[in-house]
Amino acid sequence: MTREDNQKMKILYILKILWEESDELHILSAEQIAKKVASYGIHCERKSVYKCLTELTEFGFDIIRTKRGAYMATRMFELPELKLLADAVQSSKFITEKKSDELIAKIGTLLSRYESEQLHRQVFVKNRVKTMNESIYYNIDTIYEGIRGNRQVAFDYWNWNVKKEMVYRHDRKRYIISPWFLQWEDEKYYLVGYEDLADKMKHFRVDKMYGITILESPRNGKKLFDQMNPASYGTLTFGMFQGRRETVTLSMKNELAGVVIDRFGKEVWMHSLDEGHFTVVLDVMVSNQFFGWLTGLGEGVTITGPMWVKEEYGKLLRRLMDSYE
């Protein structure tokens, strides 16, 4: 590289230095900047530093100049915003430990090296299980590609056995699914799609999918998808467990109104019964997980209809009582 080319690179190196090594608490003098530029093998004088700072400011970079020197002020993201993103990455169960560290390091490049050190905070999630499937990021990307291209996807699906071994389900026959949307529920990603063999919508945990590929065949199941509300799918299924869909009516104590709204949103139908109780109508998948949610609310909730749901819940409670006698 010629001397002239080196000088053309000077302004870029000054920008790099300000971006990586300066902030409000770490102001660099013109002399310091010149020395750092020289460390890259480019001759630099203080006078040319001032000129480059002016040009960078005119271009649009928020560089503050003081008597002590200069520093990069406003960035694309504020430090508190990136701290929040870093905490979310570190606490997420579907992101592996290795990928968490990589992502936080990349987030740190949006800050000075001094501020980026503050991103490596210890969020108290060490005892929570993080996924071990590194391919989940590529799975998500492939699924979205299938959705955009209106194509089916194929994959292997596995689960853990009592020996803590990965065991493939379906006799390792590949699942062929028409992907319609991804659902984020209970800190996990689920693919929701239509399976031709079962003629119904199903969901699969993305971190338990392996060898996912896009097929040439177009998606099926649009009629069923059009009847769904993806935004409420996770609420409907209670922890993404399948069951029989039903409209259930409950009688609840008034102090549980917040619990219902937090779970189902403000659009849920609620009506006052008396001074201490209200009735609520819910569209849910009736399953043991739904009954578990009811049990957690204790005596504050009673199923009033339909009768078959009330009877099934009573049978479950009796079986549980029998197992402890």
Side-chain angles (χ1 to χ4, degrees):
M1 186 179 293
T2 66
R3 180 183 178 85
E4 183 180 350
D5 290 334
N6 273 338
Q7 291 304 302
K8 290 179 180 178
M9 297 288 288
K10 183 190 303 180
I11 192 170
L12 296 178
Y13 279 109
I14 290 177
L15 176 61
K16 172 182 170 67
I17 291 164
L18 288 171
W19 186 273
E20 295 179 351
E21 302 188 41
S22 75
D23 53 51
E24 190 174 1
L25 300 178
H26 301 86
I27 300 173
L28 298 175
S29 67
E31 184 177 356
Q32 289 175 312
I33 294 173
K35 287 182 178 179
K36 290 179 181 294
V37 173
S39 69
Y40 291 102
I42 298 175
H43 177 72
C44 183
E45 299 176 350
R46 284 191 301 174
K47 184 178 180 180
S48 61
V49 170
Y50 296 135
K51 182 176 182 296
C52 288
L53 292 176
T54 299
E55 291 173 348
L56 288 171
T57 303
E58 290 175 350
F59 184 78
F61 288 101
D62 188 11
I63 299 171
I64 302 298
R65 296 169 68 171
T66 69
K67 292 180 179 180
R68 293 171 50 199
Y71 66 92
M72 185 69 69
T74 305
R75 298 170 186 267
M76 187 180 299
F77 293 93
E78 298 294 331
L79 177 58
E81 294 173 329
L82 294 179
K83 282 182 177 179
L84 183 64
L85 291 177
D87 286 351
V89 168
Q90 191 172 12
S91 61
S92 176
K93 290 197 292 186
F94 91 89
I95 303 178
T96 63
E97 292 284 354
K98 177 184 176 183
K99 196 63 177 180
S100 291
D101 292 339
E102 292 177 357
L103 289 175
I104 292 173
K106 291 178 180 179
I107 292 173
T109 62
L110 299 173
L111 297 165
S112 71
R113 64 184 176 91
Y114 306 102
E115 290 178 324
S116 67
E117 293 173 357
Q118 299 182 49
L119 298 182
H120 295 274
R121 304 186 292 180
Q122 183 55 59
V123 182
F124 294 99
V125 293
K126 281 299 182 182
N127 292 328
R128 295 167 61 195
V129 177
K130 277 177 143 323
T131 183
M132 293 184 293
N133 185 357
E134 285 284 344
S135 65
I136 184 172
Y137 322 103
Y138 309 106
N139 287 353
I140 292 170
D141 191 55
T142 303
I143 291 168
Y144 275 126
E145 186 178 343
I147 293 172
R148 287 193 299 269
N150 194 37
R151 294 287 184 267
Q152 293 183 340
V153 296
F155 54 87
D156 294 322
Y157 200 61
W158 62 272
N159 210 341
W160 296 109
N161 65 14
V162 295
K163 297 179 181 179
K164 302 179 182 178
E165 300 169 331
M166 289 170 51
V167 178
Y168 285 97
R169 298 175 61 176
H170 209 229
D171 293 326
R172 200 163 185 178
K173 295 178 182 177
R174 286 173 67 78
Y175 286 82
I176 298 177
I177 301 295
S178 297
W180 285 101
F181 63 93
L182 283 168
Q183 178 82 29
W184 173 254
E185 181 72 20
D186 191 27
E187 300 187 67
K188 302 180 185 69
Y189 263 116
Y190 291 86
L191 161 65
V192 181
Y194 175 80
E195 184 179 43
D196 288 12
L197 291 176
D199 188 26
K200 66 178 182 180
M201 302 296 287
K202 288 187 173 183
H203 56 258
F204 304 84
R205 273 180 54 176
V206 177
D207 60 311
K208 292 190 174 184
M209 298 163 60
Y210 271 92
I212 183 168
T213 56
I214 298 175
L215 305 179
E216 290 298 322
S217 49
R219 289 185 300 175
N220 296 318
K222 187 177 187 305
K223 184 176 179 180
L224 285 179
F225 171 70
D226 289 340
Q227 297 172 359
M228 299 178 65
N229 180 3
S232 62
Y233 185 80
T235 302
L236 178 73
T237 56
F238 272 84
M240 303 303 286
F241 285 89
Q242 293 280 16
R244 175 178 167 182
R245 185 165 182 167
E246 185 61 88
T247 300
V248 179
T249 305
L250 307 174
S251 171
M252 307 182 77
K253 290 183 177 180
N254 286 346
E255 56 262 33
L256 295 176
V259 175
V260 174
I261 293 172
D262 286 344
R263 173 79 201 190
F264 296 94
K266 294 178 68 175
E267 301 302 317
V268 67
W269 191 91
M270 300 167 64
H271 181 72
S272 179
L273 286 176
D274 53 45
E275 291 185 359
H277 298 81
F278 67 93
T279 185
V280 59
V281 178
L282 304 174
D283 189 22
V284 298
M285 291 288 191
V286 178
S287 63
N288 284 346
Q289 286 66 38
F290 169 61
F291 290 150
W293 179 74
L294 294 179
T295 305
L297 299 178
E299 298 176 357
V301 58
T302 303
I303 300 174
T304 58
M307 184 56 67
W308 78 267
V309 178
K310 190 172 183 176
E311 291 175 350
E312 286 298 314
Y313 186 43
K315 291 177 184 178
L316 174 63
L317 293 177
R318 285 190 288 273
R319 289 197 300 271
L320 292 174
M321 289 180 63
D322 291 342
S323 68
Y324 284 94
E325 290 183 354

